Each structure stands twice: as structure tokens, then as C-alpha cells.
Amino acid sequence: MILLTGGLGYIGSHTAVELLNAGEDVVCLDNLSNSDISVKDKIKQIVCKTRELTDDNFKVYIGDARDYKLVDKIFCENKISSVIHFAGLKAVGESVKLPLEYYDNNLISTINLLEVMKKHGVKNFVFSSSATVYGAAKSMPIYENFETGAVTNPYGRTKYFIEEILKDVYASDKSFNIIILRYFNPIGAHDSGLIGENPNGIPNNLMPYISRVATGKLEYLSVFGDDYNTHDGTGVRDYIHVVDLALGHVKAVKKLKSKCGLKIYNLGTGVGYSVLDIVNAYNKVCGGKVKYKIVGRRPGDIDICYANADKAKKELGWVAERNLENMCKTSYNFEKKNK
Ligand code: NAD
Ligand code: WQD
């Protein structure tokens, strides 16, 4: 079985679906701090079309990844072969206000998991890292061997520190197989419209904000700056469909089985879109409902960020296949269903 911490969250739930569809058995551990227990049934509803799910092949534990006793119990009760560690806090702005909560949640959960894994002789680990570890890269596209660590906020530093911890753990015990996946900007939702990104309160990220404007929950999008050094002046990012990202984890789990050692991969499309490109694409699918105003820059934002994802293609056999229209359509569909 594969343990997914944060398995009821946005990326974790899509990954649970794709792993189950690929025939893997899944255990999720989630403390519901940024998700809902109803996601469990939604995962079941999606997967039951391809496979019968029982307590033997899909389980959910509600609790905290920092809880040693609970994680140990999960390893005692299930035959865990690999862990994918999604659980963590992820809001950049909040991390500036609550650094200790971010260091505590993100670092302690990782250390706790690795300790329990060592106790049980389980050495396969996938970590959800982020393009944020590159900071403001000197050139584009970004390759995995670019310098990391010049991060501008506590959230990003937790990702950087965890990467360094994982390198030390691997150096101390080469029987570990560790894959660090650096996600670019995940957006979109499952085709069913049952699972997607559903942040509490006013969204910080672009796509959920646009979706709420398109469905009338918010009035207009504030576009943070139109004076960046990009083709239309608005910020450019590498947006990747969450289902493609989930499929990247299926490939990573397969790679772990080949005793890969420590590997780092960018998961992105290699294409950069601006904020206005996204607004225009979304307006095509929702009939022009996304109104926007240009406002000042958001502190800490960089002008441009996109991946070179050739290494994941070559070594994992993975490429992102879903286009921007699909990302917008599925986001809109999910938002309408969750009105
Ligand atoms: P999410 O908030 O939707 O999912 C995280 C899940 O973990 C939630 O269900 C939450 O309830 C749970 N959780 C948090 N702390 C926990 C703990 N201590 N114990 C157990 N469960 C806990 O976020 P997501 O977008 O799915 O992100 C998943 C991972 O990917 C995170 O580590 C995030 O930092 C990383 N990441 C996300 C993005 C992005 O833009 N979404 C980009 C790069 C990296
Ligand atoms: C995208 C673009 C904004 C909101 C963040 C984290 C990063 C990673 C992904 C976890 C930028 C613009 C946004 C809005 C806007 N997460 N924007 N109006 O900042 O690239 O990355 O999420 O690891 O670590 O920093 O994503 O979606 O917030 O912004 O104009 O209301 O949209 O300025 O150009 P970002 P985002």
C-alpha cells in the first residue's frame, strides 16, 4: 500500500484517484486542516467506475502526520511500501505571519514520517516540493540543477530545508529511494467535477480566485501588476493540470521500485502563460464573466517562472498532456458544481 499524507487535499486526492486507477492500494492520512472528509467518498465515486474499492485497498485515517503513535499504528496495520508526503501548510502570505506554525507542521511531519519509516524498514519516499525553492532564477527555463535556497518566505524555506534534510538522510543511508518533485503552478480539476481546489476564505492563488469571479462569488480579479518584463506586462507562470501532476506521482512511485536513489524532478509544462493569458482563456470557456482590474504588484512576486521538464520526460517517461483550455474548463466545472 502507498501512504499519502495530505491525501484528501487538492493534489493528494487527484493522486489517490490516479494511483487507485493504476491498480495501487492507497492509505490516506489527513488532519482535515485544509480539506473535508467528503473527499473520501468522492474519490470512491470516481474510482468505482474502474475498480471495486474495499477497506483492503483504500483506507483513510484522520489525524496528524506529526503524531508518531498514529503514524506508527498506520505502519503496523498496513503493509506500506512507499510514502508520498503531501501534508503541509502552503499559503505564502500566512507563512510570513505564522512562521513557527509552518516550520512545525512542514518540518516535524517530515521528520516524524522518516523516523517511523526507518523503524519499519520502509525506504521509499516522494516529497511535494515546489518551484519556489529556485527563488528568482537568473534565466528561463528552470533546470533541476539551478541553485536553490534564495527563498523569500517561510513557506518556501520549509520546502528548501526539507529538501536539504532529505539529502542528508540519503547520504546517511543509501538504501533510501527519495524522489523530490518540484511542482510549478498546479491548476484545473478532475473531469468529474467532484474533486478540485477549494480553498477556505478568499483565495490567494490566481485560478481559484478567477473561478470565484466567474461564478459570481467574487466581483472582480485584481491583476497584480502590468509592468513586469513579460509579453503583456503581467506575471508569467508554468501552469500544470493537477491530473497531469497526479500522473507524475504514479510514474514516480514506479521509479522508486527501480531503486533509484535520490532524484529531483521539475513537474511543469515548459510553457509560460501570463495572468491575462489565463483570464482570456478562462473567459472563452465561461462566456466572458471574468472581470478584472489592474492593481499594484504583490510583494515578493517574480516576473516569470517556467520549467524545463525534460528530465522527468527522460527518466520518468512523464509529460504534461492537458492544455490550458482543459485546465480552465475543469476549474470552471468544479467551481459551478461546488457553488
Ligand atoms: P492542500 O492544502 O489542498 O493539501 C494538503 C493536505 O494536507 C490538506 O488536506 C490538509 O488538511 C493536510 N494536512 C496539512 N497538515 C497536515 C498534517 N500535519 N497532518 C496531516 N494532514 C495535514 O494542498 P495541495 O495544494 O494539495 O498541496 C499538497 C502539497 O504540495 C503541499 O505540501 C504543498 O506545499 C505542495 N505544493 C503545492 C503547490 C500548489 O500550488 N498547490 C505547489 C507546490 C507545492
Ligand atoms: C500566479 C500569478 C500573481 C492572484 C504560489 C506560491 C508557490 C506555489 C504556487 C506552493 C502571479 C498573479 C495572483 C491574484 C494575480 N505554491 N495573481 N491576482 O505566486 O506563482 O505561486 O503558488 O508551493 O510557492 O508562491 O501563484 O497563483 O498566487 O499567482 O494577478 O488574485 O497570478 O501575481 O503572477 P504563484 P499564484
Side-chain angles (χ1 to χ4, degrees), residues 7 28 36 56 61 69 106 114 142 150 188 268 286 301 339:
C28 295
D36 193 272
D56 290 333
Y61 290 80
K69 277 194 184 151
N106 295 3
L114 291 164
I142 296 174
C286 75
D301 273 352
K339 214 167 173 180

Side-chain angles (χ1 to χ4, degrees), residues 90 92 130 132 155 184-186 204-207 209 221-224 235-237 239 275 298 301:
K90 63 162 184 177
V92 171
S130 167
T132 197
Y155 163 72
F184 281 66
N185 288 56
N204 300 302
N205 296 112
L206 180 65
M207 202 57 161
Y209 202 106
L221 169 75
S222 296
V223 174
F224 298 142
V236 164
R237 299 289 183 272
Y239 295 94
V275 177
R298 182 173 66 178
D301 273 352

Side-chain angles (χ1 to χ4, degrees), residues 256-295:
L256 288 174
K257 290 176 186 162
S258 73
K259 305 258 169 279
C260 59
L262 185 138
K263 298 278 183 187
I264 301 178
Y265 299 104
N266 285 341
L267 294 186
T269 64
V271 178
Y273 288 111
S274 72
V275 177
L276 292 182
D277 290 335
I278 302 289
V279 170
N280 293 335
Y282 207 109
N283 271 334
K284 280 195 187 136
V285 309
C286 75
K289 293 191 187 110
V290 182
K291 307 287 172 235
Y292 67 88
K293 288 184 188 169
I294 308 285
V295 301

Side-chain angles (χ1 to χ4, degrees), residues 47-229:
V47 177
C48 73
K49 296 203 171 76
T50 53
R51 186 177 171 200
E52 194 190 338
L53 291 183
T54 65
D55 278 351
D56 290 333
N57 54 27
F58 178 54
K59 267 190 205 177
V60 173
Y61 290 80
I62 301 305
D64 202 293
R66 289 166 292 180
D67 180 343
Y68 184 93
K69 277 194 184 151
L70 173 62
V71 177
D72 187 49
K73 179 171 129 87
I74 294 172
F75 275 75
C76 289
E77 290 179 356
N78 303 279
K79 212 170 164 307
I80 306 291
S81 55
S82 307
V83 175
I84 309 182
H85 185 31
F86 296 103
L89 300 175
K90 63 162 184 177
V92 171
E94 185 184 63
S95 79
V96 176
K97 292 187 190 113
L98 303 172
L100 294 178
E101 280 81 346
Y102 273 68
Y103 288 120
D104 183 84
N105 200 333
N106 295 3
L107 272 74
I108 304 298
S109 61
T110 309
I111 294 166
N112 192 42
L113 280 165
L114 291 164
E115 277 174 350
V116 178
M117 286 173 68
K118 277 190 99 160
K119 179 181 166 198
H120 289 266
V122 176
K123 302 283 179 79
N124 294 328
F125 193 76
V126 177
F127 176 60
S128 296
S129 191
S130 167
T132 197
V133 298
Y134 294 114
K138 291 194 176 68
S139 64
M140 291 294 145
I142 296 174
Y143 291 81
E144 286 85 351
N145 61 4
F146 276 25
E147 205 175 304
T148 57
V151 195
T152 54
N153 59 77
Y155 163 72
R157 263 187 288 278
T158 68
K159 293 292 170 190
Y160 171 69
F161 290 156
I162 293 167
E163 287 200 1
E164 297 303 297
I165 290 170
L166 292 172
K167 289 175 194 168
D168 288 338
V169 168
Y170 179 66
S172 75
D173 180 353
K174 295 271 170 36
S175 68
F176 263 100
N177 299 296
I178 297 176
I179 297 186
I180 293 171
L181 298 175
R182 293 180 180 152
Y183 312 154
F184 281 66
N185 288 56
I187 60 172
H190 193 265
D191 277 341
S192 63
L194 289 169
I195 53 173
E197 190 173 16
N198 194 14
N200 294 325
I202 296 179
N204 300 302
N205 296 112
L206 180 65
M207 202 57 161
Y209 202 106
I210 288 182
S211 293
R212 291 193 185 175
V213 175
T215 47
K217 295 170 200 167
L218 291 168
E219 204 184 336
Y220 64 88
L221 169 75
S222 296
V223 174
F224 298 142
D226 66 350
D227 57 351
Y228 284 105
N229 187 20

